[in-house]
Amino acid sequence: MADRTALFGCTHAARTAPWAAPWKVPRRGLRGGRNLASLLASLGRGGLMFLLIIWLQGIWLPRHGYGFTETPLWAGIYMLPLTLGFLVAGPVSGWASDRFGARAFATGGMLLAAGTFLALQALPVDFGYPSFALILLLNGIGMGLFAAPNRAAVMNSLPPDQRGVGAGISTTFQNSAMVLSIGIFFSLMIAGLAGPLPRALTSGLTAQRVPVADAAKVAALPPVGVLFASLLGYNPVRTLLGPQVLDQLPPDRAAYLTGREFFPQLISQPFSDGLAVAFGFATAACLIAAVASLLRGGRYVHDDDRARTGARQAPVPVTTAAGGKPGPAAAAGPGTPTGTAAPTGTGTAKTGAPSPPPPPPPHPRSP
């Protein structure tokens, strides 16, 4: 009888996993779910990087006394917990997923990442750094828990001659998502800024005795200009108002308008509204990626040796001797080659015991 593993086409993971019965075939799960999850996770991760840079470099660091020439360096330093979490969780999750499967780690990582986006959405613009660093650390851990198991699941589900194509497709999904995330998140930020930004600019400038007509001109500034001004660490008030308006104001108010604190404080609340829209999209993307990871099925490792295993385990043909009794091939043990009769001795030979070799012929006598 053929081996049940070859008969039912079981994979290598099912044969070697101690908890899996050898006749059960693991489900492949949702086709394309791994690449979909990778695309959505890359969207959330790429958008987060740009939003954090704008948040730190354009608003938080200037409000805490950092000069605009120092904000790029310190923005990178304050984002180190994100990298640290990824570096710790990535190798650990890859090691664990090889033993317990990728589904739990990939799904849990995306759920954790979605929770961190919700926490960032609830965080005030002028946050305390310890809570911000903890959220970044957890986000890096969530992304690290997802990345290695998901890539391993993609590669293990392919036969060896298709893994190069699979790696290319998976990398294309990730790189395309990183590019798309820039346009998506900047568009969401601008949509969130478009409503509250003109009102904030008008009220903030008129509170510093700027004429209403001049404040209205500044309020008509496109939101994308404000967004990139904050990204570059630049206060555009001096250029927008011009020396004619600034010279009419008291010197202390003119200095405050053109300083490094007024503009970041002015756009903080509109920026918070834009962050809520962008982080809401990132949360939804991570939740969909978690669902796709959950539907990926159990452990699946493509086995390219199934056909050869089935061929090796083929049943031995049985021949029938005259009179309906099993012939020599049937009486032979499993180690006897097919088609070779088992050697038989005289009446005293035991069944299955090898017969002694025939005696050598006598040497001819010399004449």
Side-chain angles (χ1 to χ4, degrees):
M1 179 181 179
D3 182 54
R4 285 184 296 183
T5 301
L7 180 63
F8 289 94
C10 215
T11 61
H12 174 72
R15 295 201 306 271
T16 57
W19 58 85
W23 56 86
K24 292 184 179 179
V25 181
R27 296 180 294 111
R28 290 175 183 250
L30 180 65
R31 292 184 180 272
R34 303 173 182 90
N35 283 326
L36 174 63
S38 178
L39 174 69
L40 294 172
S42 299
L43 277 177
R45 183 169 62 250
L48 175 66
M49 298 295 294
F50 287 101
L51 292 182
L52 291 181
I53 291 173
I54 298 174
W55 195 352
L56 290 172
Q57 188 170 325
I59 295 179
W60 192 82
L61 289 173
R63 293 186 62 173
H64 287 77
Y66 291 87
F68 289 129
T69 57
E70 303 173 350
T71 54
L73 172 64
W74 284 102
I77 293 175
Y78 281 131
M79 288 173 60
L80 284 178
L82 180 65
T83 304
L84 179 62
F86 196 92
L87 289 177
V88 171
V92 173
S93 65
W95 173 83
S97 64
D98 289 339
R99 288 155 177 79
F100 305 106
R103 175 164 54 180
F105 295 96
T107 305
M110 283 294 94
L111 291 176
L112 180 59
T116 58
F117 282 122
L118 290 176
L120 288 172
Q121 190 175 8
L123 203 64
V125 177
D126 193 15
F127 53 81
Y129 183 71
S131 58
F132 180 76
L134 178 61
I135 295 174
L136 290 189
L137 179 65
L138 293 176
N139 185 274
I141 291 175
M143 293 295 180
L145 286 174
F146 169 81
N150 188 75
R151 175 58 70 91
V154 171
M155 301 306 296
N156 288 340
S157 63
L158 298 172
D161 59 343
Q162 296 180 13
R163 286 173 186 167
V165 178
I169 293 175
S170 180
T171 304
T172 301
F173 269 90
Q174 291 184 357
N175 293 337
S176 301
M178 295 293 289
V179 175
L180 288 173
S181 66
I182 301 174
I184 292 174
F185 278 87
F186 270 110
S187 299
L188 293 174
M189 280 294 301
I190 292 172
L193 286 171
L197 182 61
R199 297 191 299 270
L201 291 175
T202 302
S203 60
L205 291 174
T206 54
Q208 301 299 323
R209 299 184 182 180
V210 175
V212 177
D214 296 315
K217 292 180 181 179
V218 177
L221 181 70
V224 64
V226 174
L227 189 63
F228 278 98
S230 61
L231 173 63
L232 298 175
Y234 170 67
N235 184 355
V237 174
R238 181 185 296 275
T239 303
L240 294 174
L241 292 178
Q244 296 83 2
V245 177
L246 292 175
D247 292 342
Q248 299 174 4
L249 300 175
D252 56 340
R253 293 184 180 274
Y256 177 69
L257 286 173
T258 58
R260 65 186 180 190
E261 295 182 5
F262 170 74
F263 187 68
Q265 291 179 357
L266 183 65
I267 65 174
S268 291
Q269 187 55 47
F271 187 79
S272 177
D273 296 337
L275 283 178
V277 177
F279 285 146
F281 173 81
T283 303
C286 290
L287 289 177
I288 298 175
V291 173
S293 298
L294 186 63
L295 298 178
R296 70 174 62 243
R299 285 185 72 190
Y300 180 83
V301 178
H302 188 277
D303 191 357
D304 200 45
D305 297 333
R306 286 185 300 175
R308 291 193 295 270
T309 303
R312 287 197 301 267
Q313 299 295 336
V316 179
V318 178
T319 60
T320 304
K325 295 182 180 180
T336 305
T338 305
T340 303
T344 58
T346 58
T348 60
K350 295 183 179 180
T351 304
S355 300
H363 294 285
R365 294 182 181 181
S366 55

